[in-house]
Amino acid sequence: MFNLIPFLINGLTLGLLFALIALGFMLIVGVMEQINLAHGSLFALGAYVAYALLGPPLPLPAGVGEWWAELPLGLRYVLALVVAPCIVGLLGILIEQGMRRTYGKDPLFGLLLTFGAAMVIEDVIRSIWGTRDYILPTPDAISGGFIALNLIWSTYRFFAAFAAFVFILLTWLLIERTRFGAVIKAGAHDSEMVRALGYDLAKLRIAVFAIGTMLAAAAGVIMAPIWGIRPHMGVDAVIPAFLIIVLGGVGSFWGAVIAGLMVGMVIGLTAAYASEWSLLSMYILLIVVVTFRARGLFGKKSILEA
Amino acid sequence: MTDRITRRGLVKGGTMLAGAAAGFGTFYGPWKHNRAYAQEGKPIKIGLTCDASGMYGASGRDELRGITMCIDEFNANGGVLGRKIEWITADTETNPATASRVAERFITREDCSILIGAIHSGVANAITQVAEKYGTIYLNSNSSAPTEAGENCSRIKFVWDGNGTNFTMSSVKAAVERVGKKWLLLTNDYVWGHETSDATRKLVEEAGGEIIDELLIPQNTRDFTSYLLKIQQISPEVVAPAVGGDDGKILRAQVAELGLDKQAAWVQSQQDWPDVWSAPDSIVGIFGTNWYHKLKLPGVDDFVKRWQARADADAIPVPGNVSYCGYTAMRETLRAIERAGSTNNIAIIKELEQLKIPAADRMQDYDAWMNPDTHHLQQTIYLARRNPNPVDDTDLYEIISASKPEDVIDPEEGKLCKLAPYEQIPTVDG
């Protein structure tokens, strides 16, 4: 019998990472009721932009690229964590401009549009960075391993889990503790009333979509040193993100966080005790939950269920 | 009313019976489709079933470079039998179902008379089944599951890479004797992983070692922390991973990050060059390969220069084992067509079954030959580790041994492979 504690700790960190991956997806689905299938590609783009900032010197005007490369890696990493989401957020605004024509129409239009955007983004990635893999360099302070419980653990993984916790907290504060959050939630609930009160709903939607895509990119930057960077890495993110949203209940912030933690815990524990079931376990968890509670753990009750 | 059998009734009944027999015969087989594409001056068409995405996407694209380089070289010299060679490719997505559809389309709609390419053994097996139905020659250039020339062998298929057992045989005995007897297997949960780990298990036990655990790793695993924690708790002396493609790259990176290769020895079956190149800092333990661009052998430097001259911007700076296998598989088959003087599939198969390649031509240390009973090319197997004294950025391997083909023959292959007689193979004339 193995010592269970390391696997519980691992499950918790993995769960936080999964929650981070699902966070941007949750925000757009929950607040705008739009499924953003480009989430995975935006996640990948975030990782690639970070690589551009942290990898080999950029082809910038004389001296600028060298100046950037000479900055300490730690500083560049922090800047990448800010700059990459901002650049991807601008792209998010562009996608939202296209999506607004689909609001109030068949949800299939939005799905198709974001699916198309995902394919375009992935092809742009291939044409700029090629098809090979990259490893995102990380500062020494958060690289390598440390010993605890007589085992070697990855320092970066704990940093990533902590960063995930911070992003979750900031997103919660934004939605639950700010006037902006109150207005976007109200807009999702009754858009006409929000308009009548003088708020520009179009601008609010742009802001939500941009924040959602920025969160996707931030997750990409944080996960890149663990997963590696390759053009199709978005697929690895969008599938668990979708699953977590359904499991937690569409529109529920804490549902997504708790579902992420549950998925991480289930994968972590099954990998230890029945390794061949580790990836399958999250789908089994989804089936079990949805069988008994079709709207997910914290999803709102549908009028059809009344 | 009499039951007399009249002549008219007999003819009618006989005709109906003959018709029914023909109909049922057609339905139940034998399914022998004879195809003839060959026309003077018409190009020979080859279908390149390479993965361009998915778990083995990077390797598939490198394989494509080697194959197309070979075709270009032949075309520059007038083609084969005075006919140009055309090729077509489609992404098989490292997915057997997609590969099956691609193979079917290449044969039935594109009139391809030869198929080549696959890294993933499930993909290779799917293509084999389709090719077998039509009698189309299939060159498994890079998939190294022992089953490919074992129970899944086929008269129409030729396997060009070393298999998991070949690579394992080159390393296991020495590792059990010199490193340790307590082994742990990390197995990618699909055909190649299982077959390679089974071969390792057998060889370890024969050498007096013990398998203390086996962890199955689902395909597309991205986080190996649970496995690495478990390995640390079990404390094996040797870890033998059979984990390929993207999964293998990520595993190695996570092992290297934690320095776990210093706690136990990591003995790996085969590392494909595109996987190693993408994460050179994460080379751990010892591993097998069948070719390296810095082998001091005739023809290697020239091959590397020719490959570099036509490489696209996205290519790795130097060719590796995957591109090499694609190139040589295509080259030997086109040469076999020249020798046979025909594009008839049976004639080509018979030529390939007698194939012998001198070491200098093969760019390996020892002569290679095609086993006519399994259609598996027997070749030099190298053992390598990270190069402590590289001469340039691409010099990542230190070759530590070169095993003769006869020393690493898979003993099970010949027992399991049953090739169909030539008469049962549908004829194809490309």
Side-chain angles (χ1 to χ4, degrees):
Chain A
M1 192 65 183
F2 301 105
N3 182 358
L4 186 65
I5 294 170
F7 297 104
L8 290 173
I9 295 170
N10 177 50
L12 187 67
T13 57
L14 188 60
L16 283 167
L17 297 177
F18 272 124
L20 173 68
I21 290 167
L23 209 55
F25 197 78
M26 180 279 300
L27 193 68
I28 293 170
V29 173
V31 175
M32 297 176 66
E33 296 183 346
Q34 297 290 329
I35 294 174
N36 176 22
L37 286 183
H39 180 79
S41 299
L42 296 163
F43 169 92
L45 188 62
Y48 273 96
V49 174
Y51 178 76
L53 296 168
L54 297 175
L58 292 164
L60 294 171
V64 180
E66 286 74 16
W67 168 79
W68 172 258
E70 282 170 13
L71 290 177
L73 184 59
L75 178 62
R76 281 191 291 146
Y77 182 84
V78 173
L79 290 172
L81 205 49
V82 176
V83 174
C86 289
I87 292 172
V88 176
L90 292 175
L91 182 63
I93 291 171
L94 210 64
I95 295 172
E96 200 277 339
Q97 298 296 306
M99 275 194 79
R100 63 176 46 189
R101 288 169 178 76
T102 71
Y103 296 154
K105 294 182 183 162
D106 189 334
L108 199 60
F109 292 125
L111 275 177
L112 285 172
L113 190 135
T114 52
F115 182 66
M119 293 204 293
V120 170
I121 293 167
E122 192 173 319
D123 264 11
V124 167
I125 286 173
R126 284 179 201 273
S127 61
I128 296 175
W129 285 281
T131 51
R132 59 161 292 196
D133 299 35
Y134 297 98
I135 298 287
L136 191 69
T138 49
D140 288 343
I142 51 172
S143 299
F146 66 92
I147 296 174
L149 302 170
N150 288 324
L151 297 167
I152 302 174
W153 300 78
S154 162
T155 310
Y156 184 81
R157 199 182 152 83
F158 278 85
F159 163 78
F162 176 72
F165 174 76
V166 171
F167 274 104
I168 291 166
L169 192 67
L170 289 175
T171 308
W172 176 77
L173 286 172
L174 180 76
I175 297 174
E176 300 293 338
R177 291 287 182 270
T178 63
R179 175 179 288 273
F180 172 78
V183 175
I184 58 172
K185 278 197 299 180
H189 184 70
D190 189 341
S191 57
E192 282 188 23
M193 178 58 75
V194 170
R195 274 202 198 96
L197 290 172
Y199 289 100
D200 186 345
L201 209 56
K203 279 184 183 167
L204 286 173
R205 281 179 173 146
I206 290 174
V208 171
F209 205 89
I211 293 168
T213 52
M214 287 170 79
L215 284 168
V221 179
I222 289 167
M223 294 306 292
I226 301 175
W227 285 3
I229 304 173
R230 58 191 65 81
H232 54 276
M233 68 186 286
V235 178
D236 299 330
V238 77
I239 293 172
F242 199 88
L243 183 143
I244 286 164
I245 299 306
V246 176
L247 183 64
V250 175
S252 168
F253 175 84
W254 288 114
V257 173
I258 290 168
L261 288 170
M262 284 173 71
V263 167
M265 203 60 92
V266 165
I267 290 180
L269 289 174
T270 45
Y273 293 97
S275 57
E276 64 271 37
W277 291 87
S278 64
L279 286 187
L280 200 61
S281 62
M282 65 176 168
Y283 300 103
I284 294 172
L285 177 68
L286 177 71
I287 291 167
V288 169
V289 170
V290 171
T291 301
F292 294 102
R293 201 175 160 81
R295 59 180 184 271
L297 292 172
F298 298 91
K300 290 171 203 154
K301 196 171 184 180
S302 158
I303 50 166
L304 295 175
E305 290 178 72
Chain B
M1 193 172 172
T2 62
D3 287 325
R4 274 181 58 211
I5 300 171
T6 63
R7 186 187 62 82
R8 189 180 294 273
L10 194 67
V11 169
K12 195 190 284 179
T15 307
M16 283 172 69
L17 195 66
F24 277 100
T26 307
F27 189 75
Y28 284 110
W31 286 83
K32 185 170 176 178
H33 304 257
N34 296 315
R35 289 168 172 263
Y37 311 125
Q39 289 169 23
E40 204 170 322
K42 186 185 170 190
I44 297 169
K45 199 160 183 184
I46 298 176
L48 278 47
T49 51
C50 303
D51 304 319
S53 61
M55 184 172 164
Y56 287 111
S59 287
R61 288 187 295 274
D62 215 39
E63 178 181 57
L64 188 73
R65 289 183 190 105
I67 298 168
T68 53
M69 170 181 167
C70 176
I71 293 173
D72 286 353
E73 288 184 352
F74 269 79
N75 277 337
N77 290 314
V80 177
L81 302 176
R83 294 166 63 189
K84 288 282 178 193
I85 307 155
E86 269 185 8
W87 58 270
I88 181 170
T89 189
D91 181 8
T92 45
E93 299 172 352
T94 321
N95 181 329
T98 309
S100 197
R101 285 196 298 274
V102 167
E104 187 87 31
R105 181 161 69 84
F106 280 0
I107 296 170
T108 59
R109 291 197 218 162
E110 302 291 343
D111 294 345
C112 293
S113 54
I114 294 173
L115 301 182
I116 176 171
I119 313 287
H120 188 281
S121 48
V123 167
N125 191 25
I127 297 168
T128 306
Q129 290 178 35
V130 176
E132 204 166 34
K133 189 168 72 176
Y134 296 101
T136 306
I137 291 173
Y138 170 49
L139 311 175
N140 169 355
S141 40
N142 271 295
S143 165
S144 53
T147 44
E148 275 300 285
E151 60 256 50
N152 294 335
C153 72
S154 170
R155 181 68 75 183
I156 53 89
K157 174 166 67 180
F158 290 86
V159 180
W160 300 85
D161 194 4
N163 76 13
T165 307
N166 301 146
F167 289 110
T168 307
M169 286 176 80
S170 70
S171 59
V172 166
K173 193 163 180 280
V176 170
E177 287 167 1
R178 293 180 203 164
V179 182
K181 295 191 187 307
K182 285 167 59 186
W183 285 55
L184 181 139
L185 304 175
L186 272 182
T187 307
N188 236 170
D189 198 5
Y190 76 102
V191 183
W192 169 77
H194 281 277
E195 294 295 326
T196 302
S197 282
D198 286 349
T200 308
R201 177 188 295 276
K202 195 160 180 262
L203 291 166
V204 167
E205 288 171 355
E206 279 173 7
E210 178 196 2
I211 304 297
I212 57 172
D213 209 340
E214 179 176 9
L215 307 183
L216 297 181
I217 296 175
Q219 288 183 78
N220 300 316
T221 294
R222 292 290 169 267
D223 188 277
F224 289 88
T225 310
S226 294
Y227 302 99
L228 300 181
L229 289 171
K230 194 168 178 181
I231 290 169
Q232 291 183 67
Q233 292 192 356
I234 296 169
S235 297
E237 290 171 313
V238 182
V239 180
V243 183
D246 290 347
D247 296 9
K249 283 182 258 184
I250 296 166
L251 169 67
R252 283 199 310 278
Q254 293 179 12
V255 169
E257 186 200 3
L258 301 184
L260 293 181
D261 52 323
K262 293 171 187 68
Q263 286 199 335
W266 286 65
V267 177
Q268 298 163 87
S269 169
Q270 181 176 214
Q271 297 292 289
D272 284 337
W273 179 248
D275 296 346
V276 172
W277 177 256
S278 63
D281 293 333
S282 62
I283 298 175
V284 294
I286 58 170
F287 51 88
T289 186
N290 67 345
W291 193 76
Y292 182 53
H293 69 280
K294 286 197 183 291
L295 289 171
K296 302 286 180 215
L297 294 172
V300 173
D301 286 346
D302 181 49
F303 174 75
V304 172
K305 281 179 192 152
R306 293 192 334 261
W307 189 94
Q308 288 173 322
R310 67 181 299 285
D312 51 289
D314 194 26
I316 302 168
V318 289
N321 62 306
V322 178
S323 221
Y324 161 82
C325 279
Y327 177 88
T328 50
M330 193 73 263
R331 184 187 69 177
E332 295 308 327
T333 306
L334 295 176
R335 285 176 175 177
I337 295 172
E338 289 279 13
R339 285 196 302 275
S342 164
T343 49
N344 175 276
N345 61 339
I346 304 297
I348 301 167
I349 288 170
K350 286 181 176 172
E351 272 299 329
L352 285 172
E353 285 173 346
Q354 300 167 30
L355 181 65
K356 289 185 173 29
I357 316 171
D361 193 27
R362 176 81 185 150
M363 297 180 279
Q364 288 182 328
D365 276 68
Y366 302 105
D367 294 353
W369 75 91
M370 185 65 73
N371 183 336
D373 299 324
T374 61
H375 286 193
H376 186 193
L377 188 76
Q378 306 302 308
Q379 59 189 294
T380 312
I381 298 294
Y382 296 97
L383 212 53
R385 65 183 168 203
R386 190 193 175 101
N387 191 348
N389 302 304
V391 296
D392 59 42
D393 289 348
T394 69
D395 192 13
L396 300 176
Y397 292 179
E398 181 191 13
I399 300 291
I400 52 179
S401 74
S403 298
K404 292 178 181 173
E406 53 269 34
D407 292 341
V408 290
I409 289 177
D410 180 349
E412 298 300 316
E413 231 173 38
K415 295 177 199 164
L416 297 169
C417 173
K418 304 281 179 252
L419 297 175
Y422 299 113
E423 307 80 64
Q424 287 181 14
I425 307 299
T427 56
V428 177
D429 204 339

